[in-house]
Amino acid sequence: MQNYHLMATAAAGIEALVGKELRRLGYQTRVENGRIRFDGNMKDILTTNIWLRTADRVKIIVGEFDARTFDELFDQTEALAWDQFLPIDAQFPVEGRSHHSQLHNVPSVQAIVKKAIVQKMQAVYHRRTNLPETGALYPLEVAINKDHVLLTLDTTGDSLFKRGYRQEKGGAPLKENMAAALVLLAHWFPDNPFVDPVCGSGTIPIEAALIGHNIAPGVNRHFTCERWVNLVPEGLADEVRDEADDQADYDVKLDIHGYDIDQNMVDIARRNCQAAGLTHDITFKQLAVKDWHTDQINGVIVANPPYGERLSDRETVRELYRQMGQLYRPLTTWSKYILTADLEFEKFYGEPATKRRKLYNGALRTDLFQYWGHKKR
């Protein structure tokens, strides 16, 4: 099987986590802003699509070069071996973006790249008329940053955060890959209690259960590359899924709880949990933050509370932060990880965080306020 230069894309702030995931899967990596480079064949492409919890997409790097004029962009794009990727009937839409570059008109950049690929394909396949584009989808992207052009082929399709279990969601849902990132950053061990006190549609507890059972997050969905009969050997995707299934440990007993003050959200969380096949692993219950208590030790709390972005909500949300502080500060063996866009959170919680980590929830700057517990042996 042919080897490719690959990259996994990631939200700002969690690139290192994706790099760590890839290294655990056995790949050598180079972590950059928004992406992690690695090499692999088509089996590796399927494996990483199925296993990566915190990435957005896996892409093949078709080529990269510097270009400051449209002629340079056209010539160097045409010179690439497009026939090694695209069959004669391929649908290959070209998306584009450009930052701090001479070639800043994105529609023109997309059109030039498309024209160059068509000309190369017509020459290789000895075709004078238009290409049919009636076959499988091969989504391409041209990204230019500081005059450096990166041409990629998306193997994933719908973003990796779309696991397939979320039937319904609340007003401000956390993406599944960001929820998984929060669980991984919390360094939770499956033999310890796990609590989400403001669980919403249940994404964080569900991702924790997938991690606790070592269930590959993409095992129940499909990827664009599976339709590429010219590149993916028949049966390979099923083989990789079977290997992933074999690594799951369904016998681990998990102690995971999700609470929310809104019974409607609790019902949604339960339906999502059922769709994920994790009904026996997570307990969802209607409960206000202030009404929770525990005698357990060495637990982990991971929370994505409301941020109070609207002025009218701010005081209510900050009262919630005060309640969290009063409840959680005495739990010295518990670690608490609280994500919010309110950068004054510590003042209302009543204690400075052990560590803060900047993350982006979509385009919104947030901080993960981390309070590390002192575990009892």
Side-chain angles (χ1 to χ4, degrees):
M1 251 183 285
Q2 184 176 341
N3 248 40
Y4 304 99
H5 295 309
L6 306 171
M7 70 181 200
T9 61
I14 62 171
E15 298 95 339
L17 271 182
V18 178
K20 194 172 183 180
E21 284 195 85
L22 283 165
R23 289 191 293 277
R24 279 184 181 156
L25 290 169
Y27 302 100
Q28 292 186 327
T29 64
R30 196 168 96 215
V31 177
E32 301 174 356
N33 287 338
R35 63 189 178 220
I36 303 85
R37 294 176 183 255
F38 65 107
D39 290 339
N41 58 28
M42 192 50 69
K43 184 174 183 181
D44 298 311
I45 289 169
L46 287 162
T47 298
T48 50
N49 270 305
I50 285 171
W51 274 105
L52 287 176
R53 299 183 189 279
T54 57
D56 288 323
R57 298 177 182 282
V58 177
K59 297 183 174 187
I60 297 172
I61 300 172
V62 180
E64 57 184 315
F65 48 82
D66 291 335
R68 291 172 182 82
T69 69
F70 285 124
D71 284 345
E72 289 176 345
L73 178 63
F74 183 95
D75 292 344
Q76 293 187 82
T77 298
E78 188 190 19
L80 296 171
W82 291 103
D83 53 301
Q84 291 183 11
F85 301 95
L86 307 178
I88 191 170
D89 65 345
Q91 295 182 59
F92 54 102
V94 179
E95 293 292 320
R97 52 195 169 92
S98 178
H99 299 287
H100 312 299
S101 300
Q102 295 287 318
L103 301 177
H104 53 80
N105 186 311
V106 172
S108 296
V109 165
Q110 291 172 205
I112 291 290
V113 167
K114 178 81 175 188
K115 185 178 178 182
I117 298 169
V118 167
Q119 189 159 304
K120 177 61 172 277
M121 298 270 284
Q122 286 174 325
V124 169
Y125 291 117
H126 308 291
R127 189 181 181 101
R128 292 181 182 175
T129 56
N130 290 337
L131 299 171
E133 295 206 43
T134 54
L137 183 66
Y138 293 73
L140 301 174
E141 183 186 63
V142 50
I144 310 179
N145 187 38
K146 296 178 182 175
D147 300 319
H148 186 73
V149 179
L150 188 65
L151 288 161
T152 57
L153 172 59
D154 176 25
T155 72
T156 303
D158 286 340
S159 176
L160 290 176
F161 79 80
K162 295 191 175 181
R163 319 285 205 222
Y165 64 73
R166 191 147 74 180
Q167 310 294 296
E168 300 175 65
K169 55 190 180 183
L174 195 67
K175 287 181 179 176
E176 290 88 329
N177 51 1
M178 180 59 78
L182 298 184
V183 177
L184 293 174
L185 287 168
H187 303 290
W188 168 67
F189 292 96
D191 55 349
N192 290 329
F194 184 98
V195 171
D196 179 352
V198 283
C199 69
S201 58
T203 310
I204 292 174
I206 291 169
E207 290 297 318
L210 293 175
I211 290 168
H213 283 305
N214 198 38
I215 297 171
V219 75
N220 291 320
R221 57 159 288 182
H222 291 277
F223 308 98
T224 290
C225 63
E226 292 180 61
R227 302 184 189 93
W228 300 348
V229 294
N230 61 318
L231 297 177
V232 182
E234 188 177 353
L236 181 62
D238 290 337
E239 176 191 326
V240 175
R241 281 194 181 83
D242 289 343
E243 289 175 2
D245 263 336
D246 289 343
Q247 293 181 57
D249 185 349
Y250 297 101
D251 296 327
V252 175
K253 299 296 180 191
L254 302 176
D255 185 4
I256 300 175
H257 293 262
Y259 303 106
D260 202 279
I261 196 169
D262 183 348
Q263 182 63 49
N264 181 52
M265 293 311 303
V266 171
D267 293 340
I268 288 172
R270 285 174 177 156
R271 288 194 286 272
N272 290 340
C273 185
Q274 185 175 16
L278 298 166
T279 305
H280 301 296
D281 299 290
I282 308 168
T283 302
F284 288 107
K285 184 179 177 182
Q286 181 189 17
L287 194 72
V289 166
K290 63 183 175 61
D291 295 329
W292 178 76
H293 61 86
T294 184
D295 296 323
Q296 292 179 292
I297 62 169
N298 298 344
V300 169
I301 292 167
V302 178
N304 177 42
Y307 301 159
E309 292 170 82
R310 289 184 302 191
L311 204 58
S312 58
D313 298 335
R314 191 164 296 168
E315 189 47 48
T316 303
V317 167
R318 287 176 167 176
E319 178 56 32
L320 177 67
Y321 299 162
R322 289 188 193 97
Q323 292 171 3
M324 285 181 162
Q326 289 164 7
L327 271 170
Y328 301 160
R329 284 198 307 273
L331 301 177
T332 55
T333 71
W334 283 66
S335 292
K336 308 99 183 178
Y337 295 79
I338 300 164
L339 184 75
T340 176
D342 188 340
L343 303 186
E344 294 186 82
F345 170 81
E346 292 159 304
K347 182 169 81 175
F348 301 99
Y349 185 85
E351 183 183 5
T354 312
K355 184 179 179 181
R356 288 170 63 165
R357 183 176 184 134
K358 183 168 68 174
L359 299 172
Y360 281 86
N361 185 2
L364 183 64
R365 154 77 188 272
T366 60
D367 275 30
L368 181 64
F369 293 88
Q370 306 174 40
Y371 296 87
W372 300 346
H374 303 285
K375 286 194 168 23
K376 278 190 180 178
R377 298 296 175 193

PDB file of all heavy atoms in Angstrom, residues 31-50:
ATOM      1  N   VAL A  31       3.832  18.565  15.351  1.00  0.00           N
ATOM      2  CA  VAL A  31       2.687  19.376  15.753  1.00  0.00           C
ATOM      3  C   VAL A  31       2.892  20.819  15.304  1.00  0.00           C
ATOM      4  O   VAL A  31       3.929  21.423  15.570  1.00  0.00           O
ATOM      5  CB  VAL A  31       2.486  19.318  17.285  1.00  0.00           C
ATOM      6  CG1 VAL A  31       1.331  20.220  17.707  1.00  0.00           C
ATOM      7  CG2 VAL A  31       2.227  17.877  17.734  1.00  0.00           C
ATOM      8  N   GLU A  32       1.903  21.352  14.596  1.00  0.00           N
ATOM      9  CA  GLU A  32       1.924  22.737  14.128  1.00  0.00           C
ATOM     10  C   GLU A  32       0.611  23.407  14.541  1.00  0.00           C
ATOM     11  O   GLU A  32      -0.280  22.742  15.071  1.00  0.00           O
ATOM     12  CB  GLU A  32       2.092  22.776  12.595  1.00  0.00           C
ATOM     13  CG  GLU A  32       3.355  22.096  12.105  1.00  0.00           C
ATOM     14  CD  GLU A  32       3.436  22.018  10.587  1.00  0.00           C
ATOM     15  OE1 GLU A  32       2.467  22.430   9.904  1.00  0.00           O
ATOM     16  OE2 GLU A  32       4.458  21.530  10.071  1.00  0.00           O
ATOM     17  N   ASN A  33       0.480  24.689  14.293  1.00  0.00           N
ATOM     18  CA  ASN A  33      -0.770  25.378  14.606  1.00  0.00           C
ATOM     19  C   ASN A  33      -1.921  24.817  13.776  1.00  0.00           C
ATOM     20  O   ASN A  33      -1.896  24.893  12.546  1.00  0.00           O
ATOM     21  CB  ASN A  33      -0.646  26.881  14.331  1.00  0.00           C
ATOM     22  CG  ASN A  33       0.199  27.592  15.358  1.00  0.00           C
ATOM     23  OD1 ASN A  33       0.366  27.098  16.480  1.00  0.00           O
ATOM     24  ND2 ASN A  33       0.753  28.736  15.002  1.00  0.00           N
ATOM     25  N   GLY A  34      -2.899  24.242  14.453  1.00  0.00           N
ATOM     26  CA  GLY A  34      -4.094  23.758  13.766  1.00  0.00           C
ATOM     27  C   GLY A  34      -3.959  22.435  13.059  1.00  0.00           C
ATOM     28  O   GLY A  34      -4.939  21.929  12.501  1.00  0.00           O
ATOM     29  N   ARG A  35      -2.779  21.826  13.093  1.00  0.00           N
ATOM     30  CA  ARG A  35      -2.618  20.548  12.391  1.00  0.00           C
ATOM     31  C   ARG A  35      -1.435  19.761  12.958  1.00  0.00           C
ATOM     32  O   ARG A  35      -0.518  20.332  13.550  1.00  0.00           O
ATOM     33  CB  ARG A  35      -2.416  20.779  10.892  1.00  0.00           C
ATOM     34  CG  ARG A  35      -1.160  21.545  10.548  1.00  0.00           C
ATOM     35  CD  ARG A  35      -1.130  21.915   9.082  1.00  0.00           C
ATOM     36  NE  ARG A  35       0.058  22.684   8.745  1.00  0.00           N
ATOM     37  CZ  ARG A  35       0.067  23.724   7.924  1.00  0.00           C
ATOM     38  NH1 ARG A  35      -1.066  24.123   7.352  1.00  0.00           N
ATOM     39  NH2 ARG A  35       1.181  24.366   7.647  1.00  0.00           N
ATOM     40  N   ILE A  36      -1.483  18.444  12.711  1.00  0.00           N
ATOM     41  CA  ILE A  36      -0.436  17.546  13.161  1.00  0.00           C
ATOM     42  C   ILE A  36      -0.076  16.683  11.966  1.00  0.00           C
ATOM     43  O   ILE A  36      -0.913  15.973  11.409  1.00  0.00           O
ATOM     44  CB  ILE A  36      -0.912  16.660  14.338  1.00  0.00           C
ATOM     45  CG1 ILE A  36      -1.399  17.552  15.492  1.00  0.00           C
ATOM     46  CG2 ILE A  36       0.202  15.745  14.804  1.00  0.00           C
ATOM     47  CD1 ILE A  36      -2.834  18.007  15.389  1.00  0.00           C
ATOM     48  N   ARG A  37       1.181  16.733  11.571  1.00  0.00           N
ATOM     49  CA  ARG A  37       1.634  15.962  10.402  1.00  0.00           C
ATOM     50  C   ARG A  37       2.104  14.571  10.825  1.00  0.00           C
ATOM     51  O   ARG A  37       2.731  14.409  11.873  1.00  0.00           O
ATOM     52  CB  ARG A  37       2.780  16.691   9.701  1.00  0.00           C
ATOM     53  CG  ARG A  37       2.392  18.029   9.065  1.00  0.00           C
ATOM     54  CD  ARG A  37       3.628  18.693   8.495  1.00  0.00           C
ATOM     55  NE  ARG A  37       3.365  20.009   7.934  1.00  0.00           N
ATOM     56  CZ  ARG A  37       3.310  20.286   6.629  1.00  0.00           C
ATOM     57  NH1 ARG A  37       3.501  19.321   5.745  1.00  0.00           N
ATOM     58  NH2 ARG A  37       3.075  21.514   6.214  1.00  0.00           N
ATOM     59  N   PHE A  38       1.836  13.606   9.952  1.00  0.00           N
ATOM     60  CA  PHE A  38       2.331  12.241  10.145  1.00  0.00           C
ATOM     61  C   PHE A  38       2.268  11.532   8.799  1.00  0.00           C
ATOM     62  O   PHE A  38       1.734  12.079   7.828  1.00  0.00           O
ATOM     63  CB  PHE A  38       1.538  11.495  11.215  1.00  0.00           C
ATOM     64  CG  PHE A  38       0.083  11.239  10.884  1.00  0.00           C
ATOM     65  CD1 PHE A  38      -0.371   9.971  10.560  1.00  0.00           C
ATOM     66  CD2 PHE A  38      -0.856  12.279  10.932  1.00  0.00           C
ATOM     67  CE1 PHE A  38      -1.712   9.740  10.279  1.00  0.00           C
ATOM     68  CE2 PHE A  38      -2.198  12.054  10.643  1.00  0.00           C
ATOM     69  CZ  PHE A  38      -2.621  10.783  10.316  1.00  0.00           C
ATOM     70  N   ASP A  39       2.843  10.357   8.711  1.00  0.00           N
ATOM     71  CA  ASP A  39       2.840   9.589   7.465  1.00  0.00           C
ATOM     72  C   ASP A  39       2.085   8.277   7.675  1.00  0.00           C
ATOM     73  O   ASP A  39       2.060   7.723   8.782  1.00  0.00           O
ATOM     74  CB  ASP A  39       4.268   9.273   7.005  1.00  0.00           C
ATOM     75  CG  ASP A  39       5.009  10.513   6.516  1.00  0.00           C
ATOM     76  OD1 ASP A  39       4.339  11.499   6.155  1.00  0.00           O
ATOM     77  OD2 ASP A  39       6.253  10.491   6.517  1.00  0.00           O
ATOM     78  N   GLY A  40       1.500   7.768   6.591  1.00  0.00           N
ATOM     79  CA  GLY A  40       0.812   6.492   6.696  1.00  0.00           C
ATOM     80  C   GLY A  40       0.171   6.080   5.390  1.00  0.00           C
ATOM     81  O   GLY A  40       0.079   6.869   4.445  1.00  0.00           O
ATOM     82  N   ASN A  41      -0.273   4.826   5.342  1.00  0.00           N
ATOM     83  CA  ASN A  41      -0.941   4.307   4.149  1.00  0.00           C
ATOM     84  C   ASN A  41      -2.459   4.371   4.338  1.00  0.00           C
ATOM     85  O   ASN A  41      -2.954   4.939   5.309  1.00  0.00           O
ATOM     86  CB  ASN A  41      -0.457   2.885   3.838  1.00  0.00           C
ATOM     87  CG  ASN A  41      -0.688   1.922   5.008  1.00  0.00           C
ATOM     88  OD1 ASN A  41      -1.615   2.096   5.811  1.00  0.00           O
ATOM     89  ND2 ASN A  41       0.158   0.902   5.110  1.00  0.00           N
ATOM     90  N   MET A  42      -3.192   3.759   3.426  1.00  0.00           N
ATOM     91  CA  MET A  42      -4.646   3.868   3.486  1.00  0.00           C
ATOM     92  C   MET A  42      -5.206   3.184   4.731  1.00  0.00           C
ATOM     93  O   MET A  42      -6.203   3.646   5.304  1.00  0.00           O
ATOM     94  CB  MET A  42      -5.274   3.271   2.216  1.00  0.00           C
ATOM     95  CG  MET A  42      -6.748   3.600   2.048  1.00  0.00           C
ATOM     96  SD  MET A  42      -7.176   5.368   2.215  1.00  0.00           S
ATOM     97  CE  MET A  42      -6.413   6.037   0.738  1.00  0.00           C
ATOM     98  N   LYS A  43      -4.588   2.124   5.190  1.00  0.00           N
ATOM     99  CA  LYS A  43      -5.048   1.508   6.441  1.00  0.00           C
ATOM    100  C   LYS A  43      -4.847   2.465   7.612  1.00  0.00           C
ATOM    101  O   LYS A  43      -5.700   2.576   8.499  1.00  0.00           O
ATOM    102  CB  LYS A  43      -4.316   0.191   6.707  1.00  0.00           C
ATOM    103  CG  LYS A  43      -4.841  -0.513   7.948  1.00  0.00           C
ATOM    104  CD  LYS A  43      -4.232  -1.889   8.164  1.00  0.00           C
ATOM    105  CE  LYS A  43      -4.872  -2.553   9.381  1.00  0.00           C
ATOM    106  NZ  LYS A  43      -4.300  -3.898   9.649  1.00  0.00           N
ATOM    107  N   ASP A  44      -3.739   3.199   7.602  1.00  0.00           N
ATOM    108  CA  ASP A  44      -3.492   4.188   8.653  1.00  0.00           C
ATOM    109  C   ASP A  44      -4.506   5.320   8.587  1.00  0.00           C
ATOM    110  O   ASP A  44      -4.939   5.849   9.623  1.00  0.00           O
ATOM    111  CB  ASP A  44      -2.077   4.763   8.526  1.00  0.00           C
ATOM    112  CG  ASP A  44      -1.002   3.705   8.695  1.00  0.00           C
ATOM    113  OD1 ASP A  44      -1.085   2.940   9.674  1.00  0.00           O
ATOM    114  OD2 ASP A  44      -0.096   3.636   7.846  1.00  0.00           O
ATOM    115  N   ILE A  45      -4.890   5.708   7.384  1.00  0.00           N
ATOM    116  CA  ILE A  45      -5.906   6.758   7.216  1.00  0.00           C
ATOM    117  C   ILE A  45      -7.231   6.316   7.841  1.00  0.00           C
ATOM    118  O   ILE A  45      -7.872   7.074   8.577  1.00  0.00           O
ATOM    119  CB  ILE A  45      -6.081   7.101   5.724  1.00  0.00           C
ATOM    120  CG1 ILE A  45      -4.847   7.861   5.213  1.00  0.00           C
ATOM    121  CG2 ILE A  45      -7.359   7.909   5.484  1.00  0.00           C
ATOM    122  CD1 ILE A  45      -4.793   8.008   3.704  1.00  0.00           C
ATOM    123  N   LEU A  46      -7.625   5.077   7.566  1.00  0.00           N
ATOM    124  CA  LEU A  46      -8.866   4.572   8.155  1.00  0.00           C
ATOM    125  C   LEU A  46      -8.742   4.418   9.668  1.00  0.00           C
ATOM    126  O   LEU A  46      -9.651   4.765  10.429  1.00  0.00           O
ATOM    127  CB  LEU A  46      -9.230   3.228   7.517  1.00  0.00           C
ATOM    128  CG  LEU A  46      -9.741   3.317   6.083  1.00  0.00           C
ATOM    129  CD1 LEU A  46      -9.655   1.965   5.382  1.00  0.00           C
ATOM    130  CD2 LEU A  46     -11.185   3.817   6.053  1.00  0.00           C
ATOM    131  N   THR A  47      -7.593   3.928  10.122  1.00  0.00           N
ATOM    132  CA  THR A  47      -7.362   3.727  11.555  1.00  0.00           C
ATOM    133  C   THR A  47      -7.451   5.044  12.318  1.00  0.00           C
ATOM    134  O   THR A  47      -8.108   5.133  13.365  1.00  0.00           O
ATOM    135  CB  THR A  47      -5.980   3.080  11.792  1.00  0.00           C
ATOM    136  OG1 THR A  47      -5.956   1.789  11.166  1.00  0.00           O
ATOM    137  CG2 THR A  47      -5.690   2.926  13.274  1.00  0.00           C
ATOM    138  N   THR A  48      -6.811   6.076  11.792  1.00  0.00           N
ATOM    139  CA  THR A  48      -6.816   7.361  12.505  1.00  0.00           C
ATOM    140  C   THR A  48      -8.194   8.022  12.450  1.00  0.00           C
ATOM    141  O   THR A  48      -8.627   8.641  13.425  1.00  0.00           O
ATOM    142  CB  THR A  48      -5.735   8.302  11.952  1.00  0.00           C
ATOM    143  OG1 THR A  48      -5.823   8.376  10.520  1.00  0.00           O
ATOM    144  CG2 THR A  48      -4.350   7.800  12.326  1.00  0.00           C
ATOM    145  N   ASN A  49      -8.906   7.876  11.332  1.00  0.00           N
ATOM    146  CA  ASN A  49     -10.277   8.391  11.279  1.00  0.00           C
ATOM    147  C   ASN A  49     -11.158   7.713  12.327  1.00  0.00           C
ATOM    148  O   ASN A  49     -11.998   8.358  12.963  1.00  0.00           O
ATOM    149  CB  ASN A  49     -10.877   8.182   9.887  1.00  0.00           C
ATOM    150  CG  ASN A  49     -10.632   9.345   8.945  1.00  0.00           C
ATOM    151  OD1 ASN A  49     -10.966  10.475   9.255  1.00  0.00           O
ATOM    152  ND2 ASN A  49     -10.040   9.069   7.795  1.00  0.00           N
ATOM    153  N   ILE A  50     -10.976   6.438  12.517  1.00  0.00           N
ATOM    154  CA  ILE A  50     -11.803   5.680  13.460  1.00  0.00           C
ATOM    155  C   ILE A  50     -11.413   5.956  14.911  1.00  0.00           C
ATOM    156  O   ILE A  50     -12.277   6.030  15.790  1.00  0.00           O
ATOM    157  CB  ILE A  50     -11.716   4.169  13.136  1.00  0.00           C
ATOM    158  CG1 ILE A  50     -12.554   3.857  11.884  1.00  0.00           C
ATOM    159  CG2 ILE A  50     -12.174   3.309  14.311  1.00  0.00           C
ATOM    160  CD1 ILE A  50     -12.374   2.461  11.337  1.00  0.00           C
TER     161      ILE A  50
END
